[in-house]
Amino acid sequence: MSLVEVRDLSVGFGGLRAVDGLSFSLAKGAALALVGESGSGKSTVASALLGLHRGTGARVGGSVEVAGVDVQRASDDELRRLRGARAAMVFQDPLSSLDPYYAIGDQIAEVYRVHNRVSRRAARARAVGVLDRVGIQDAGRRSRSRPHEFSGGMRQRALIAMALACEPDLLIADEPTTALDVTVQAQILDLLHVLREETGTGLLLVTHDVGVAAGNADEILVMRHGRMVEQGPVADVLGGPAQPYTRQLLGAVPRVDVPRTGDLRVDAPRGVTPGVDSGPAPGSAPGPAPGPAGGATSAGSVPGGSVPGGSVSRGSVPADVVLEAVGLRREFGRGKHAFAAVDDVSLTVRRGETLGIVGESGSGKTTLGRMLVGLLEPTAGRILPGGGVRPDVQMVFQDPVSSLNPRRTVGESVADPLRARGTGTRPFGRSPERTGEEARIRGRVRELLERVGLEGAHYDRYPHEFSGGQRQRVGIARALAADPRVIVCDEPVSALDVTTQAQVVALLDELRRELGLALVFVAHDLAVVRQVSDHVAVMRRGRIVEYGPTDEVYGAPQDPYTRQLLAAVPALDPAVAAARRATRRAARREPAAM
């Protein structure tokens, strides 16, 4: 008997059918990956397995059976007994899934007591035990910590521990590693694999990352528009996809083992145009062909400690250099509690080049990016030319939802840099001058929206009316409004599915080529960075540990840390993924690694 049996499942919300006639099964101890773009219905299916749509107004049809329980016909009490005890879910964002006011151990103990008649002491001991099982060191002490005292990876481990507290037969992991850097992602996925081996727990893995599915599932089910496109053993589907959509999905996946190509344009499965081929943005001078690539360095990483692009003297920089940082340091805290988030970093960015900056969370990447834009003042060092907030250096932020005002239209947000430059002011009266200036601003914003692949008519829409990829395009349009020479992109595609990610990356590369822009691409995704960057700098603990032309750094990494990062990148070949997992496991067993 299967652990999960889904037959002709359909889920509708109002006039939208999110899942349409989906059928699949999952055997005990097996792993199935649901893969697809945002909006394909993956998470809706995961919620349906636990009956989470009940009472929401959703229309659910078909049959769903989990661990012998008919989810559609089960009573509320039966569903409560199913959730947590027989089937448990690990959500994408552990911070929003954990109560910020209670200790981690208390929250896990509460889940255990709901399903088992045990004392508080026994529940507490169980919480410490499962925290230790998922790799939380000093579990007894850390169980008294609150969620904000844990790192992102530790919070995800805590959420997995909570799911395992009652030893469920089924674990549903909904995008469990989306916001994590590659090494922490590898640790979480290795943990799920080990738990499956040790407990025989079935795994339903929901992900938009095909590489994650390749290394952690026995079978894969590709979804699109709520329907199944293709299903089969993971090696068969990824090795020889039968459907055009699956091939398009695989084609959009950035590869860490493939050198950068000259053209990043992609075929968009949704029919969304990656960029509008309309030449340079109106009002901007066409940029020349990209000049020689510059780079980054820290003391000791280049012979003699020199800065690529020439020496710096009295605030001058070579003509093709658009941004240069020398000896940047940024400290947080005071006295004995002070620490350097960025420590003695120098870099040079030239017109028309893309400099990739990679590293784990906490390596100093974002702090460095914010100093380059002028949002943070360096504790020491210089940024040339000039300093402070510079209109010619703009930033595209990681989360377009939080960087756009939900109460203002996207057109107004894009217009802000134009007004800040004195291009115009809001029309408080009906004077022809002010009305005419406002019309010019509105026209310019429409041109910018069209330039990034949106419509000019979107001016009056609000952020919540756009998808994640569209909101990121709005952020890019806002950055372009200031006519920048450099755009610093801080994790601009980390929360997007692979096809939307490829479209946004292609758009940025198109703008770089056509407008002569320089890009600083900050990311923890090494595969994306390889595809977009001319040079790459690898950061660790505030310092640049390796720098060079992208293909050289990726093809023959010199620093052990760089090799460690590359080894943690998910592989599309299941055999390669299994070999890497075995290597990591062996390394963890070595005394030196403990």
Side-chain angles (χ1 to χ4, degrees):
M1 183 174 125
S2 296
L3 178 61
V4 176
E5 283 285 350
V6 175
R7 292 289 175 266
D8 199 28
L9 174 65
S10 64
V11 182
F13 303 93
L16 171 68
R17 178 161 286 196
V19 179
D20 188 5
L22 187 71
S23 299
F24 65 89
S25 61
L26 175 64
K28 291 183 178 180
L32 171 67
L34 295 185
V35 175
E37 300 169 280
S38 299
S40 63
K42 309 184 303 295
S43 294
T44 303
V45 173
S47 297
L49 296 187
L50 296 180
L52 298 180
H53 297 304
R54 183 170 294 187
T56 65
R59 303 183 310 278
V60 183
S63 66
V64 177
E65 189 172 303
V66 177
V69 176
D70 188 332
V71 175
Q72 295 289 80
R73 298 181 180 180
S75 67
D76 290 344
D77 285 341
E78 288 174 323
L79 280 182
R80 278 192 289 269
R81 286 194 294 271
L82 172 68
R83 299 167 184 164
R86 305 294 303 279
M89 182 177 283
V90 178
F91 293 94
Q92 177 176 349
D93 182 9
L95 194 57
S96 63
S97 303
L98 296 167
D99 192 315
Y101 294 102
Y102 292 93
I104 294 286
D106 291 343
Q107 296 184 56
I108 297 174
E110 181 182 0
V111 169
Y112 189 64
R113 292 193 71 202
V114 165
H115 296 284
N116 299 273
R117 294 184 177 181
V118 297
S119 66
R120 291 183 182 276
R121 174 176 289 185
R124 177 77 186 177
R126 177 64 177 170
V128 173
V130 291
L131 283 172
D132 180 71
R133 188 177 193 177
V134 300
I136 299 295
Q137 296 187 359
D138 196 4
R141 180 179 64 85
R142 296 313 304 266
S143 68
R144 294 187 289 273
S145 302
R146 288 173 172 76
H148 73 273
E149 299 177 90
F150 276 26
S151 67
M154 289 176 65
R155 283 194 292 263
Q156 196 62 283
R157 288 175 182 268
L159 211 56
I160 294 172
M162 185 180 294
L164 293 174
C166 298
E167 298 185 349
D169 299 314
L170 172 66
L171 189 63
I172 303 170
D174 187 4
E175 300 281 8
T177 61
T178 296
L180 304 178
D181 56 56
V182 287
T183 51
V184 178
Q185 173 180 260
Q187 293 166 15
I188 295 299
L189 295 173
D190 289 350
L191 170 62
L192 290 174
H193 185 82
V194 169
L195 292 172
R196 277 184 56 215
E197 286 183 336
E198 294 179 349
T199 65
T201 301
L203 175 66
L204 182 72
L205 179 63
V206 177
T207 180
H208 66 252
D209 191 327
V210 183
V212 168
N216 298 276
D218 306 311
E219 290 204 359
I220 187 170
L221 191 158
V222 181
M223 292 187 65
R224 188 187 190 193
H225 301 323
R227 296 185 176 186
M228 182 187 73
V229 174
E230 190 166 355
Q231 182 180 7
V234 63
D236 294 346
V237 173
L238 299 184
Q243 298 300 318
Y245 175 74
T246 308
R247 292 195 290 270
Q248 288 177 326
L249 203 61
L250 286 171
V253 176
R255 301 285 296 272
V256 74
D257 56 342
V258 176
R260 178 182 179 179
T261 59
D263 191 348
L264 297 180
R265 285 175 292 184
V266 295
D267 293 327
R270 287 197 192 96
V272 178
T273 305
V276 179
D277 188 15
S278 56
S284 300
T297 180
S298 62
S301 63
V302 173
S306 61
V307 178
S311 61
V312 178
S313 63
R314 299 184 183 179
S316 64
V317 293
D320 60 342
V321 173
V322 290
L323 184 65
E324 186 157 15
V326 182
L328 289 187
R329 180 180 176 87
R330 174 67 193 200
E331 296 179 355
F332 292 96
R334 294 181 178 179
K336 64 179 182 180
H337 299 294
F339 74 97
V342 173
D343 186 10
D344 193 24
V345 167
S346 300
L347 58 84
T348 302
V349 183
R350 299 177 186 273
R351 182 171 186 167
E353 85 151 348
T354 298
L355 169 65
I357 300 178
V358 299
E360 296 175 287
S361 298
S363 62
K365 307 185 305 295
T366 294
T367 300
L368 174 59
R370 289 177 179 268
M371 283 195 288
L372 296 179
V373 178
L375 296 178
L376 286 175
E377 286 290 332
T379 304
R382 297 175 296 165
I383 297 176
L384 304 169
V389 178
R390 296 176 51 190
D392 61 340
V393 182
Q394 292 292 309
M395 177 171 269
V396 175
F397 295 92
Q398 175 177 358
D399 183 6
V401 176
S402 61
S403 63
L404 294 171
N405 190 329
R407 295 184 175 88
R408 303 182 69 208
T409 67
V410 297
E412 288 298 298
S413 292
V414 174
D416 281 342
L418 298 174
R419 295 194 175 98
R421 292 170 57 201
T423 305
T425 57
R426 290 179 178 277
F428 294 104
R430 292 185 175 272
S431 67
E433 294 81 5
R434 288 183 175 178
T435 303
E437 189 65 19
E438 187 65 19
R440 283 191 290 273
I441 290 177
R442 193 177 184 93
R444 173 64 174 147
V445 171
R446 286 175 177 269
E447 291 170 349
L448 288 167
L449 291 174
E450 291 171 358
R451 186 65 189 79
V452 298
L454 300 173
E455 297 177 15
H458 288 162
Y459 187 108
D460 295 311
R461 291 188 181 182
Y462 289 87
H464 72 271
E465 299 180 75
F466 293 87
S467 68
Q470 288 175 322
R471 283 193 291 260
Q472 198 59 287
R473 290 172 185 266
V474 172
I476 295 170
R478 182 175 56 183
L480 289 175
D483 287 332
R485 302 171 69 192
V486 183
I487 296 181
V488 178
C489 305
D490 184 17
E491 299 279 9
V493 296
S494 63
L496 305 177
D497 60 56
V498 288
T499 49
T500 305
Q501 182 182 93
Q503 293 158 21
V504 171
V505 165
L507 171 62
L508 287 168
D509 191 65
E510 178 183 304
L511 294 170
R512 176 193 63 79
R513 287 184 287 106
E514 295 185 0
L515 306 182
L517 293 172
L519 299 179
V520 178
F521 201 95
V522 179
H524 65 253
D525 191 325
L526 278 78
V528 172
V529 169
R530 175 159 200 177
Q531 295 307 309
V532 303
S533 304
D534 301 293
H535 285 67
V536 64
V538 182
M539 289 193 69
R540 186 186 191 194
R541 297 176 182 171
R543 286 180 169 265
I544 293 177
V545 297
E546 187 158 358
Y547 161 78
T550 303
D551 288 344
E552 291 183 12
V553 171
Y554 279 72
Q558 300 300 305
D559 192 88
Y561 177 70
T562 307
R563 293 195 290 271
Q564 178 186 342
L565 287 180
L566 291 171
V569 176
L572 285 178
D573 186 335
V576 173
R580 290 181 180 177
R581 181 168 55 242
T583 300
R584 290 193 296 267
R585 235 170 137 175
R588 283 194 291 270
R589 292 194 185 107
E590 294 177 2
M594 296 178 61

